[in-house]
Amino acid sequence: MKLQIPTKLDEVTIGTFIKIAKLEQPQDAEGQLDHNIKVLSLLTGEPEDVFLELTPAQLSHIISKITFPKNLPEAKAVNTIKLNGKTYKANLLVTELTAGQYIDLSEFIKSPINNLHKIMATLYLPCKKTWYGKWVVEKYNGKTHKDRADEFYRYMPVSVAYPASANSIVLYTVLVCLFPGPIQRCFSL
């Protein structure tokens, strides 16, 4: 059997990343082996039984091919992405978020890994090219957020999500920690 093993972060979706992050961390060697099998199953889409039939040497060989967790991309966000034939433009400056984005981001940031797709759906908005060639970004709408978040969960590579969310989360945290009053006043009546 030929296994399709992702070797780059571009090949891992946010959904797979979240599932892996939710796995319990192993406490011993036996737990580590079980953890590795679960991770391989999630990464390849193959049932765990496939990996239970392999020898430790075969398993070790497969695991050695997976290097991307050790080599995370530089936290440099991409402003425009294409996903499933749609174009999305990022708003990565917390100071330029709408009140709705700010409120949603404030909630999602409480559990950034589990909500990575929701954070990305808050920051990346669909855009369309007008007949005269100008790109127009749709306004943020909480009602369409879930559909976009679901699409990002299934299809967005972690290589896109990680740098953008890392920059935004760091900036958001710094702003709120250093300037809680001014940031909150921006959105208070």
Side-chain angles (χ1 to χ4, degrees):
M1 170 192 285
K2 181 82 171 151
L3 293 171
Q4 293 288 358
I5 302 163
T7 56
K8 298 183 290 188
L9 215 45
D10 294 1
E11 301 165 344
V12 180
T13 64
I14 290 176
T16 301
F17 174 76
I18 290 171
K19 289 175 188 173
I20 291 170
K22 286 181 178 179
L23 291 175
E24 229 176 276
Q25 289 303 310
Q27 302 300 321
D28 54 22
E30 185 179 312
Q32 183 65 51
L33 182 60
D34 186 49
H35 183 266
N36 290 347
I37 288 171
K38 287 180 185 334
V39 169
L40 286 171
S41 176
L42 288 168
L43 288 173
T44 63
E46 295 290 336
E48 290 179 28
D49 293 346
V50 168
F51 301 102
L52 290 170
E53 296 172 1
L54 299 176
T55 67
Q58 291 171 315
L59 221 73
S60 222
H61 176 71
I62 292 170
I63 291 167
S64 72
K65 292 182 179 184
I66 304 170
T67 60
F68 55 79
K70 300 172 197 108
N71 305 317
L72 289 173
E74 181 183 331
K76 185 174 181 182
V78 179
N79 285 334
T80 306
I81 59 167
K82 278 193 169 275
L83 192 66
N84 277 354
K86 299 174 192 165
T87 302
Y88 297 91
K89 185 145 175 61
N91 177 2
L92 300 175
L93 298 175
V94 176
T95 55
E96 294 179 8
L97 296 176
T98 65
Q101 286 173 295
Y102 179 83
I103 291 166
D104 288 347
L105 192 58
S106 295
E107 187 60 33
F108 303 143
I109 214 91
K110 291 175 184 174
S111 182
I113 291 176
N114 290 333
N115 291 323
L116 186 55
H117 57 301
K118 294 175 185 177
I119 292 169
M120 297 307 294
T122 304
L123 299 173
Y124 280 85
L125 301 176
C127 57
K128 294 185 179 178
K129 207 174 215 180
T130 62
W131 63 272
Y132 54 90
K134 183 180 178 190
W135 286 99
V136 177
V137 180
E138 287 182 21
K139 291 186 179 200
Y140 183 73
N141 180 343
K143 294 177 182 165
T144 59
H145 180 271
K146 183 183 179 336
D147 293 337
R148 193 169 51 258
D150 290 345
E151 184 173 13
F152 288 1
Y153 182 90
R154 287 192 301 278
Y155 302 110
M156 183 181 273
V158 176
S159 60
V160 171
Y162 169 76
S165 64
N167 282 341
S168 300
I169 290 167
V170 167
L171 178 57
Y172 175 85
T173 305
V174 166
L175 282 172
V176 170
C177 289
L178 293 179
F179 309 106
I183 295 296
Q184 290 167 349
R185 277 194 298 277
C186 288
F187 297 101
S188 63
L189 300 176

